[in-house]
Amino acid sequence: MTYPGGAHVSKKVFIPHGYPLILRLLLAVICLSLMASACPKSCHCSERNGLTVVQCSSRNLVEIPPDLPHDTVSLQLSSNRITKIPNQAFKNLPWLQELDLSRNAIETVDAGAFQGVTESLRALDLSHNHIQSVPKEAFDRLHAKISLSNNPWHCECTLQEVLRELRLDPETVNEVSCHTSVQEEYAGKPVIQVLDSGINFCNFHHKTTDVAMFVTMFGWFAMVIAYVIYYVRHNQEDARRHLEYLKSLPSSSQISKDFDTISTVL
């Protein structure tokens, strides 16, 4: 550009200091926003108070979707074909408050299944599955109200210790029943009712362990006794044979007489 007086000044665009950094931050925010709002193709997502509700019920899923939005507050996975809750299945969902896994085919709950959501989770539904037992660590530090009804529970010491630490849903607590038990007489009865009657499954566990140990010790003792008896009888038989052999040998007096007779003849 030429100004009066012949002065020539080149045109420059003013770029504020630090603009590239601001641009990068803006792009990062946009990317995070897109990632947070991304919804699995097999599910339907909606918004609740600025957070995401993910509806994946009745979608014929066989596993928990791995690409769930980071800001998911409610996750509905009921009426699918999920068979297992693996370790850290929800570790990327720090805002998760409601989790519905009812009416699946869940058999296995890993010890670290709910790591990462133990503080945020408020409601957990595991009803109408195929769960027989869970590790004691699976529900550690979990403060959620939990529904465990209509599962084929095996009533024994571990289940008793797990239930002692949980906040069960009061509306379904009587539907948590013993499908099988360490004592057959309790099969078919509500677990809470059995425990409230004073039954302690851990005592049965200790008694069973003691009986097994006694049987094992008795078996070893019987084997030692049998070996001793065999050893003694075997030695007695050898001694008898040796004695019969000695008796079959000519006596020394007879040998002496025969020797004298031979000397006289000679």
Side-chain angles (χ1 to χ4, degrees):
M1 179 180 294
T2 303
Y3 287 87
H8 180 79
V9 179
S10 61
K11 185 178 179 180
K12 294 183 179 180
V13 178
F14 176 73
I15 301 177
H17 181 68
Y19 180 76
L21 177 60
I22 295 174
L23 181 60
R24 287 196 296 270
L25 291 175
L26 181 60
L27 290 174
V29 170
I30 293 173
C31 290
L32 288 175
S33 178
L34 290 174
M35 290 174 62
S37 60
C39 189
K41 62 180 181 180
S42 57
C43 305
H44 172 74
C45 297
S46 58
E47 185 180 330
R48 179 197 295 175
N49 299 325
L51 297 174
T52 304
V53 174
V54 183
Q55 177 59 255
C56 303
S57 298
S58 304
R59 303 301 171 99
N60 207 33
L61 300 176
V62 296
E63 62 181 8
I64 299 167
D67 53 346
L68 295 164
H70 185 71
D71 62 345
T72 299
V73 68
S74 177
L75 178 57
Q76 307 297 315
L77 287 164
S78 62
S79 302
N80 284 292
R81 296 189 295 120
I82 298 170
T83 59
K84 179 180 180 179
I85 308 178
N87 286 321
Q88 300 183 338
F90 312 100
K91 65 177 182 178
N92 295 322
L93 307 178
W95 306 104
L96 188 63
Q97 297 181 14
E98 301 172 0
L99 177 57
D100 187 355
L101 285 158
S102 62
R103 301 184 183 281
N104 277 277
I106 298 172
E107 297 179 351
T108 304
V109 179
D110 284 349
F114 302 104
Q115 285 182 359
V117 296
T118 53
E119 297 297 329
S120 62
L121 203 60
R122 295 291 173 265
L124 172 62
D125 193 344
L126 290 170
S127 62
H128 296 274
N129 278 286
H130 302 161
I131 307 172
Q132 297 183 23
S133 63
V134 291
K136 290 187 291 186
E137 301 82 7
F139 299 124
D140 276 356
R141 298 182 296 278
L142 199 63
H143 307 298
K145 181 173 68 175
I146 302 177
S147 177
L148 298 174
S149 60
N150 295 290
N151 279 284
W153 293 107
H154 176 64
C155 289
E156 40 76 45
C157 184
T158 301
L159 180 62
Q160 176 179 315
E161 293 179 345
V162 167
L163 295 181
R164 183 183 299 152
E165 305 297 328
L166 297 184
R167 185 164 69 93
L168 294 176
D169 180 5
E171 296 181 2
T172 61
V173 66
N174 289 324
E175 297 173 12
V176 182
S177 300
C178 301
H179 182 71
T180 56
S181 174
V182 290
Q183 293 289 310
E184 293 183 4
E185 59 198 87
Y186 301 116
K189 295 183 178 180
V191 181
I192 299 301
Q193 179 182 340
V194 173
L195 296 179
D196 286 346
S197 68
I199 299 301
N200 188 337
F201 290 117
C202 293
N203 285 344
F204 293 136
H205 174 73
H206 294 319
K207 289 180 180 178
T208 302
T209 303
D210 292 343
V211 170
M213 186 177 295
F214 174 78
V215 170
T216 302
M217 292 179 63
F218 180 80
W220 279 106
F221 182 75
M223 289 176 62
V224 171
I225 295 298
Y227 177 78
V228 170
I229 293 174
Y230 169 79
Y231 180 79
V232 170
R233 288 184 175 178
H234 183 73
N235 283 351
Q236 287 178 340
E237 183 66 21
D238 286 346
R240 185 183 62 80
R241 290 175 188 169
H242 187 65
L243 183 60
E244 290 179 353
Y245 172 74
L246 292 177
K247 288 181 178 180
S248 66
L249 294 176
S251 63
S252 58
S253 59
Q254 182 65 37
I255 294 175
S256 178
K257 289 180 180 179
D258 292 343
F259 181 77
D260 292 339
T261 301
I262 294 172
S263 298
T264 302
V265 172
L266 291 175

